[in-house]
C-alpha cells in the first residue's frame, strides 16, 4: 500500500483521491459480489441486497426513497421490490411504505456477514495504524458521499 507507506511531497488533488476511491470501491464490490455468489448462487443481486439493506435501516421507506438509494428508476425499483416481495423478503408491495420481513432480515444478515468476512480476510494483515487510518478515511468518505438527507449506513446493525 504505497499511499500509506510513503508520505507524498504534495497533497493529492480531489480528482486523484476520487480515482483511488472509485477504484477501491469497484474492487471491494467485485470481491463482495463474488462472495455473495459463492455463498448464495443464483440468490440475490447486489442491487437487491442494497434495497434490503436500505429497508433494514429505514423501515416503512417509500418506493421512491429506495429508488433514490439504489440508483434505479421508479419503474425498475418497482420491479425489484415486487421480486423481493414475491420471495417473501419484503412485505406487501401494494402498501405505500415498504418493510422487510423476518426472512428478509435474516437473509440480509447472512449475506452481509459472508461479504464482510471476505473483505476482512483481505485486510487482516494490515497494521493496526493502517486499519485505524482506513477506518477514519471510510467514515469521511461515507459522510461526504451520502446523499443529502441520508445518514451514512456504516454504523448500523447487522454486525457492522
Amino acid at each position: 500500500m504505497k499511499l500509506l507507506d510513503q508520505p507524498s511531497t504534495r497533497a493529492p488533488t480531489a480528482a486523484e483521491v476520487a480515482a483511488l476511491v472509485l477504484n477501491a470501491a469497484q474492487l471491494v464490490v467485485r470481491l463482495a459480489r463474488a462472495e455473495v455468489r459463492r455463498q448464495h448462487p443464483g440468490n440475490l443481486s447486489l442491487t437487491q441486497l442494497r434495497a434490503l439493506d436500505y429497508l433494514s435501516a429505514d423501515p416503512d421507506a417509500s418506493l421512491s426513497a429506495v429508488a433514490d438509494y439504489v440508483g434505479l428508476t421508479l419503474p425498475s425499483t418497482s420491479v425489484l421490490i415486487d421480486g423481493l416481495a414475491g420471495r417473501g423478503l419484503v412485505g406487501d408491495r401494494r402498501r405505500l411504505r415498504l418493510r422487510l420481513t423476518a426472512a428478509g432480515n435474516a437473509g440480509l444478515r447472512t449475506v452481509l456477514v459472508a461479504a464482510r468476512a471476505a473483505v476482512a480476510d483481505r485486510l487482516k494483515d494490515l497494521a493496526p495504524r493502517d486499519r485505524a487510518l482506513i477506518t477514519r478515511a471510510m467514515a469521511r468518505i461515507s459522510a461526504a458521499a451520502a446523499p443529502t438527507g441520508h445518514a451514512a449506513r456504516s454504523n448500523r446493525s447487522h454486525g457492522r
Side-chain angles (χ1 to χ4, degrees):
M1 292 187 31
K2 186 176 182 180
L3 289 177
L4 295 177
D5 296 336
Q6 298 177 351
S8 175
T9 57
R10 70 168 181 82
T13 66
E16 290 168 334
V17 172
L20 291 169
V21 168
L22 288 174
N23 184 55
Q26 288 173 337
L27 292 171
V28 171
V29 166
R30 187 177 299 137
L31 177 63
R33 182 183 297 128
E35 185 60 23
V36 167
R37 286 185 181 145
R38 190 178 75 72
Q39 292 284 330
H40 304 283
N43 201 356
L44 296 171
S45 71
L46 285 180
T47 303
Q48 290 170 320
L49 287 172
R50 285 181 44 82
L52 293 175
D53 189 43
Y54 184 83
L55 290 173
S56 175
D58 297 311
D60 295 326
S62 68
L63 184 66
S64 60
V66 176
D68 180 49
Y69 184 73
V70 300
L72 295 175
T73 64
L74 280 173
S76 295
T77 305
S78 182
V79 170
L80 176 87
I81 296 297
D82 284 343
L84 292 171
R87 295 168 76 171
L89 301 175
V90 174
D92 185 359
R93 163 63 182 93
R94 293 168 294 196
R95 297 182 59 178
L96 293 177
R97 298 293 176 189
L98 304 172
R99 184 174 285 244
L100 289 184
T101 63
N105 273 312
L108 175 63
R109 275 193 297 281
T110 299
V111 170
L112 289 177
V113 165
R116 287 187 189 115
V119 174
D121 186 58
R122 298 288 179 101
L123 302 176
K124 69 183 177 199
D125 293 331
L126 291 177
R129 74 175 176 80
D130 292 340
R131 288 194 306 267
L133 176 65
I134 291 168
T135 300
R136 288 190 308 275
M138 290 293 104
R140 288 184 180 176
I141 290 167
S142 294
T148 304
H150 287 102
R153 307 235 180 281
S154 61
N155 294 324
R156 288 186 326 181
S157 58
H158 310 308
R160 288 182 203 182

